[in-house]
Amino acid sequence: MGKGKVYSSFFTPLEFGFFRGLPENLFLLDIAGQIAFLFDIVVRFFLAYRDTHSYSFVYDRKLIAFRYLKSRFIVDFLGCLPWDAIYKACGRKEPIRYLLWIRLSRALRVTEFFEKLEKNIRIKYLFIRIVKLLVVEYYCTHVAGCIFYYLATTLPPSKEGYTWIGSLQMGQYHYSNFRDVDFWKRYVISLYFAVVTMVTVGYGDIHAVNVREMIFVMIYVSFDMILGAYLLGNMTALIVKGSKTERFRDKMADLIKYMTRNNLGKQISKEIKGHLKLQYDRSYTEATILQDIPASIRTKHNIFLEGKR
């Protein structure tokens, strides 16, 4: 389902911005995708999870179901609804289309996917991090580009000249009838507007025209300041090594070499790697919290825990 979540995360803004009612081929593809996500919801009612306190896996189906119902079930279920069909059935009422954005919650699962990749020592850590940063940057500009185009389509055709794309002229070509332009050309132009706005280049060839577009540009540029800090911080972290994940990867690589050299069995190797992963997951919890506490208090803490057992 990882690829499906990536597809959904990228297609949802595209559907919202460029399509008021999907064509038949995309509609069938969308329905197939939502059926797959419904299947994923069913699977999650049986998927064991690791308890955040004991760090042991929970296999009890009632606890698994209760935990999922309390957390993401409602959002996941709403995301699986065929909003395009509902939009058409309700007389194409515009507010219904805003419910498409519920599906963007799946983007959080994409970040979890990258976190798992970062722990995979078979893939270069630098490569994963660079790909992740490129995906984040492209995704933000992709969403912004789709919103830019959507704002242009909210005005009636008679006022399309008062939009950023309707007033655009490149060379001898004027985009006053931009709805008739090829889809990919409209998308590239929208993405271009988002990129030049993000990097604050300001060529002057493309700019906001009406008040709504200006308001969104201000919000988008403010967000870009945070995004820029995030990207810069991560690039710095790539140069200055020593992150928690890198230490884990180095230790895991050494451990695998040791187990291979000594021909350890699969079961014991699995247990050793599982223990190392558990240490990684809880390294910033119990150990970090207790290390700065005075020895006398730690002793009382240990006595208290022994008494509970």
Side-chain angles (χ1 to χ4, degrees):
M1 290 301 295
K3 294 180 181 178
K5 292 181 178 68
V6 172
Y7 164 78
S8 180
S9 300
F10 278 88
F11 183 73
T12 296
L14 205 65
E15 179 181 354
F16 176 80
F18 288 84
F19 298 100
R20 279 179 168 77
L22 292 173
E24 184 178 357
N25 57 340
L26 291 179
F27 175 74
L28 294 176
L29 181 63
D30 181 65
I31 293 297
Q34 303 320 314
I35 291 174
F37 280 113
L38 280 173
F39 177 75
D40 181 62
I41 289 177
V42 175
V43 170
R44 289 190 174 276
F45 278 100
F46 302 92
L47 197 62
Y49 67 93
R50 175 171 285 173
D51 185 81
T52 55
H53 299 290
S54 64
Y55 290 93
S56 59
F57 281 99
V58 177
Y59 296 96
D60 187 287
R61 290 187 178 180
K62 290 183 179 179
L63 293 177
I64 294 171
F66 184 67
R67 177 177 179 268
Y68 183 51
L69 287 171
K70 285 198 309 179
S71 56
R72 296 187 51 87
F73 171 73
I74 295 177
V75 175
D76 288 347
F77 179 74
L78 290 175
C80 289
L81 294 179
W83 291 113
D84 184 71
I86 296 173
Y87 166 70
K88 294 175 182 177
C90 294
R92 297 180 179 269
K93 294 181 180 179
E94 194 64 19
I96 294 177
R97 298 185 68 248
Y98 286 92
L99 296 174
L100 277 171
W101 291 101
I102 296 174
R103 294 178 181 175
L104 286 194
S105 62
R106 296 167 183 167
L108 297 175
R109 303 275 178 83
V110 179
T111 61
E112 295 173 2
F113 170 73
F114 274 107
E115 288 175 359
K116 290 180 180 178
L117 282 181
E118 289 174 1
K119 299 177 188 176
N120 192 338
I121 63 173
R122 290 173 292 184
I123 307 175
K124 289 289 186 181
Y125 182 71
L126 180 63
F127 173 76
I128 298 171
R129 295 292 294 178
I130 291 176
V131 170
K132 180 181 178 181
L133 294 178
L134 290 175
V135 169
V136 169
E137 183 177 2
Y138 171 69
Y139 184 69
C140 292
T141 53
H142 167 74
V143 173
C146 294
I147 295 176
F148 274 130
Y149 184 81
Y150 170 77
L151 291 174
T153 60
T154 54
L155 292 180
S158 59
K159 296 184 178 180
E160 286 181 348
Y162 297 98
T163 63
W164 67 269
I165 189 171
S167 61
L168 179 64
Q169 183 173 355
M170 291 186 173
Q172 299 296 321
Y173 192 85
H174 200 283
Y175 288 87
S176 55
N177 298 316
F178 62 86
R179 296 174 193 263
D180 300 327
V181 178
D182 177 69
F183 164 74
W184 287 110
K185 195 170 186 178
R186 284 179 285 148
Y187 174 72
V188 170
I189 293 171
S190 302
L191 191 65
Y192 170 76
F193 187 20
V195 170
V196 296
T197 303
M198 182 185 71
V199 298
T200 62
V201 173
Y203 290 122
D205 56 346
I206 188 168
H207 54 83
V209 174
N210 56 58
V211 174
R212 284 184 297 179
E213 293 171 356
M214 293 176 184
I215 291 174
F216 179 69
V217 166
M218 288 188 289
I219 296 172
Y220 179 49
V221 171
S222 300
F223 168 78
D224 285 338
M225 295 173 63
I226 302 173
L227 177 63
Y230 169 80
L231 295 174
L232 185 61
N234 276 271
M235 291 301 295
T236 304
L238 289 176
I239 299 172
V240 183
K241 294 186 177 181
S243 67
K244 173 188 172 185
T245 304
E246 284 183 291
R247 291 196 299 271
F248 165 78
R249 288 168 60 93
D250 292 341
K251 187 178 291 187
M252 180 64 78
D254 293 338
L255 184 62
I256 290 176
K257 290 178 182 178
Y258 171 81
M259 292 188 296
T260 303
R261 187 168 58 249
N262 291 277
N263 296 319
L264 297 183
K266 289 185 178 180
Q267 183 60 33
I268 190 171
S269 298
K270 183 179 179 181
E271 291 176 359
I272 293 173
K273 288 191 287 185
H275 176 72
L276 184 60
K277 290 179 181 178
L278 179 61
Q279 282 186 325
Y280 171 84
D281 291 335
R282 63 192 299 182
S283 60
Y284 284 149
T285 54
E286 296 179 5
T288 306
I289 292 171
L290 294 176
Q291 68 180 1
D292 296 325
I293 296 177
S296 58
I297 299 179
R298 285 204 303 269
T299 302
K300 293 179 181 179
H301 166 267
N302 293 333
I303 294 173
F304 175 76
L305 290 181
E306 288 296 330
K308 288 179 66 177
R309 293 173 185 170

